[in-house]
Amino acid sequence: MPPALLRRPNRLVFIPLPTQNSLMPTVADELSQLTAFLFFWQSHDRAIKADLFSTAVVTRAGVFVVDPILLDHSELGQLQQCARVAGVIVTNANHHRAATWYSQQFSVPIFAAADVFPGEKPTRFIQIEDGEKIENEFEIRQIDGAVAGEVALYHGRDGGVLIIGDALINFEPYGFTFLPSKYCRDQNEMRRSLRKLLDCQAERILFAHGAPILSDVNARLRQLLDVDC
């Protein structure tokens, strides 16, 4: 990224990480870089027996972390070398994860739909709604029928990238498919709502549960959504 787009890194004074006896997942120890502006990390949560994935996107406003799980301090420091952490985005009510820790650590807001925090809101909470943009960087697509507060994020840089909460998954034995109906409020409504993503020209898609897809995203998404048509 050109130096002119970078901001001064956040001061590294780390708030202690939650202990392994808490409800937080194991700390991820590896940061993976997909492009000059796109990163992800993952960890297995023993409590729910699932692999959790988090995304970071470097923008003109700084680095935004999406559905973040904890990341080893040294790896987090590497991410900060790209730009200062500018915000945390939570895609649904199941993905609080370590959002509050990141918000406190870097004194940045948490962006989420109102239903993500139905009770008391975090100190730096900023509500997002369908069709809005976050810091003129991420377009918000509300996904009805999935988990409470579900949104998808779209960023148009370098061919475009979609970031999905729970509505779509990509892990074995399921592959790239819809969130199973038992976890949805209304899977048929969710499938209809996901069609709005076809308007987003994207070469890459990242998930909260599953490995990124780095090519032919629009074609694969259309094929998936057209199955029942």
Side-chain angles (χ1 to χ4, degrees), residues 3-227:
L5 300 185
L6 300 182
R7 292 188 175 187
R8 184 178 179 181
N10 313 79
R11 185 183 178 189
L12 286 172
V13 179
F14 284 101
I15 296 172
L17 297 176
T19 67
Q20 294 300 314
N21 291 326
S22 74
L23 296 180
M24 296 303 301
T26 303
V27 178
D29 59 6
E30 183 177 359
L31 177 69
S32 298
Q33 183 170 3
L34 298 175
T35 70
F37 73 98
L38 196 58
F39 300 79
F40 77 96
W41 59 101
Q42 66 184 98
S43 177
H44 184 74
D45 187 330
R46 291 171 293 180
I48 63 174
K49 299 180 181 179
D51 290 329
L52 310 182
F53 288 70
S54 301
T55 300
V57 184
V58 182
T59 74
R60 292 177 181 270
V63 178
F64 287 84
V65 292
V66 183
D67 294 337
I69 59 175
L70 297 171
L71 181 62
D72 180 82
H73 285 163
S74 62
E75 298 294 292
L76 186 55
Q78 290 185 31
L79 182 61
Q80 282 197 285
Q81 292 178 14
C82 298
R84 65 181 294 274
V85 177
V88 180
I89 306 174
V90 181
T91 61
N92 66 51
N94 288 345
H95 291 171
H96 294 178
R97 298 180 174 179
T100 300
W101 183 89
Y102 282 86
S103 176
Q104 294 174 346
Q105 171 67 55
F106 299 110
S107 299
V108 296
I110 296 175
F111 298 88
D115 288 347
V116 171
F117 297 94
E120 184 178 355
K121 301 294 191 287
T123 302
R124 297 179 178 87
F125 176 77
I126 296 179
Q127 183 175 328
I128 57 176
E129 297 182 358
D130 188 40
E132 292 184 342
K133 283 191 174 183
I134 296 176
E135 298 291 344
N136 206 34
E137 295 284 353
F138 298 92
E139 297 179 20
I140 306 302
R141 299 287 190 273
Q142 179 179 315
I143 307 299
D144 299 320
V147 179
E150 179 88 12
V151 298
L153 308 173
Y154 174 69
H155 198 286
R157 184 176 175 183
D158 291 355
V161 58
L162 284 165
I163 304 174
I164 307 295
D166 279 339
L168 295 171
I169 59 176
N170 186 41
F171 59 87
E172 297 302 330
Y174 304 102
F176 176 48
T177 190
F178 302 106
L179 179 70
S181 59
K182 65 181 179 179
Y183 301 115
C184 302
R185 293 186 292 179
D186 185 331
Q187 192 189 60
N188 289 331
E189 181 181 20
M190 181 189 75
R191 292 187 183 205
R192 290 191 295 269
S193 189
L194 280 166
R195 298 194 69 83
K196 68 181 66 176
L197 300 185
L198 294 175
D199 295 333
C200 303
Q201 184 61 42
E203 292 188 3
R204 308 170 187 89
I205 183 170
L206 290 93
F207 307 87
H209 299 284
I213 296 175
L214 304 179
S215 64
D216 298 324
V217 164
N218 286 101
R220 293 190 62 176
L221 183 58
R222 183 174 294 278
Q223 181 182 33
L224 178 66
L225 292 171
D226 285 348
V227 167

